[in-house]
């Protein structure tokens, strides 16, 4: 009788374990299926190319945007952007050649910025906002800003310095555009998950500075596609971490190393030619000559079909030449360095992008979806 009781308990335990094992197997099968149907996108590119801005756009477009609490968390970052911008400009005035001076009546404000903003316990008092607003209108500061290619200044400097009156308010809540413009250095690896038309995407954002790139290899496994982001407007800038290296040249070198990486020879690259708005400003309004930095520019000829489309859209010819010259610098690398054994799966798909323009990013990503889907099918040998 006692043995019968123990036997019954053992049978019950066995049944429970069997049910549990079945549930685990079912979950593993489900997880495996979910993994196989998930498109993993790896964002690569040099520092300050706009990778994190693309991720923010995915959150705005496909993950219900930013909550009120998340927006409030970004206020301090935006304040830091303003502090860093005005501090960088005022500090650069005496370091560039030839140096610049503030208007005499504003020198005290510049001294305040240089003395106070570097303190670890800086708390953004009213004096700071007043000084920043006055200096931003100063003739010397304005001239120094125009020469920002001679030193390191964040892209969002002008945007936020023009918004000091809004940002300083106690009830200030960042807009989507404020969040997109806000610059925070990416360190490490960040994953964003979202769904578009019932398709799962995992996007991995990694730091682009040289000392961050050693972490990239951790993300190479089972990647569906690489989105390589380059800042087209950086043709006249130097690297933040190496003042001898042109930023666009660095981006081209980095693209070449990724394109030829033995672990990525079967992975296609979607090339985001970013910061088209800043490129237009530099070559159309400010009349920058790309040929000063890239001698091949002078001999470059726009393809005829491209020229016809540009003429129909009334795009300034100097912008058309600039954007397609930069595009073709990357395409030359992908064309001349293709691995013959993997040419059927190793493609480069270029797109002109303005990462702070939500509608532009929506349109470009929609164009990329079919490409990514085909890459995914090839990855699992379904195409």
């Amino acid at each position: 009788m006692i043995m019968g009781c123990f036997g019954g308990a053992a049978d019950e335990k066995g049944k429970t374990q069997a049910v549990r094992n079945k549930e685990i197997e079912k979950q593993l099968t489900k997880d495996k299926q979910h993994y196989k149907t998930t498109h993993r996108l790896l964002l690569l590119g040099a520092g300050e190319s706009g990778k994190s801005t693309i991720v923010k756009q995915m959150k705005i477009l496909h993950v219900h945007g930013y909550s009120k609490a998340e927006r409030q968390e970004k206020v301090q970052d935006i304040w830091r952007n303003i502090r860093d911008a005005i501090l960088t400009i005022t500090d650069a005035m005496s370091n560039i050649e030839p140096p610049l001076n503030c208007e005499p009546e504003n020198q005290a404000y510049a001294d305040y910025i240089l003395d106070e903003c570097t303190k670890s316990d800086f708390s953004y008092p009213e004096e700071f906002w007043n000084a920043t607003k006055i200096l931003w209108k100063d003739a010397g500061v304005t001239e120094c800003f125009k020469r920002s290619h001679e030193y390191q200044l964040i892209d969002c400097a002008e945007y936020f310095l023009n918004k000091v009156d809004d940002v300083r308010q106690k009830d200030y809540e960042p807009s989507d555009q404020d969040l997109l413009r806000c610059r925070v250095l990416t360190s490490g690896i960040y994953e964003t998950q979202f769904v578009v038309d019932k398709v799962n995407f995992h996007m991995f954002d990694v730091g682009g500075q040289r000392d961050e790139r050693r972490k990239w290899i951790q993300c190479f496994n089972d990647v569906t596609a690489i989105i390589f982001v380059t800042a087209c407007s950086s043709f006249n800038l130097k690297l933040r971490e190496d003042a001898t290296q042109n930023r666009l040249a660095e981006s081209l070198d980095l693209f070449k190393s990724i394109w030829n990486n033995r672990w990525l020879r079967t992975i296609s690259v979607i090339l985001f030619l970013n910061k088209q708005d800043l490129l237009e400003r530099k070559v159309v309004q400010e009349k920058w000559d790309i040929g000063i930095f890239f001698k091949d520019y002078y001999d470059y000829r726009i393809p005829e079909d491209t020229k016809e489309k540009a003429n129909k859209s009334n795009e300034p010819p100097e912008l058309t030449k600039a954007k397609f010259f930069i595009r073709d610098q990357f395409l030359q690398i992908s064309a001349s360095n293709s691995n013959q054994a993997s040419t059927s799966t190793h493609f480069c798909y270029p797109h002109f992008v303005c990462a702070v323009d939500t509608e532009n990013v929506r349109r470009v990503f929609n164009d990329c979806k079919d490409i990514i889907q085909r890459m995914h099918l090839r990855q699992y040998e379904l195409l």
Side-chain angles (χ1 to χ4, degrees), residues 85 109 152 168 200 253 275 290 306 311 313 315 363:
Y109 297 111
Q152 300 293 337
R168 71 191 294 181
N200 299 311
D253 290 343
K275 304 196 179 182
I290 296 180
T306 299
N311 289 338
S313 66
E315 185 175 80
R363 188 166 57 251

Side-chain angles (χ1 to χ4, degrees), residues 30-42 191-196 198-204 221-225 365 369 372-373 375-377 379-380 382:
K30 185 178 179 181
D31 291 346
K32 186 177 181 180
Q33 184 62 29
H34 182 270
Y35 186 84
K36 288 186 70 173
T37 57
T38 296
H39 301 354
R40 283 167 290 283
L41 309 177
L42 179 57
E191 180 182 3
T192 300
Q193 301 181 19
F194 56 95
V195 178
V196 183
K198 299 181 180 180
V199 177
N200 299 311
F201 289 89
H202 287 193
M203 184 175 277
F204 298 89
N221 189 42
D222 276 349
V223 170
T224 307
F365 194 77
K369 276 191 305 182
I372 296 167
Q373 186 72 28
M375 293 177 189
H376 184 260
L377 293 173
Q379 187 177 22
Y380 290 97
L382 298 173

Side-chain angles (χ1 to χ4, degrees), residues 2 31 52 65 74 103 137 147 156 158 188 196 228 242 257 270 276 281 287 294 303 306 318 346 359 367 382:
I2 294 173
D31 291 346
S52 297
K74 291 296 181 182
E103 296 169 47
K137 295 178 181 178
R147 291 170 57 184
C156 63
E158 181 180 26
V196 183
F228 187 91
D242 180 1
S257 70
I270 297 171
Q276 291 296 310
R281 175 174 174 170
K287 306 298 182 184
F294 295 86
T306 299
E318 59 268 46
H346 201 35
E359 287 309 309
D367 291 343
L382 298 173

Side-chain angles (χ1 to χ4, degrees), residues 19-33:
V19 171
R20 178 64 180 149
N21 288 344
K22 192 172 183 179
E23 289 175 351
I24 291 172
E25 288 175 7
K26 185 178 180 181
Q27 186 61 46
L28 287 173
T29 301
K30 185 178 179 181
D31 291 346
K32 186 177 181 180
Q33 184 62 29

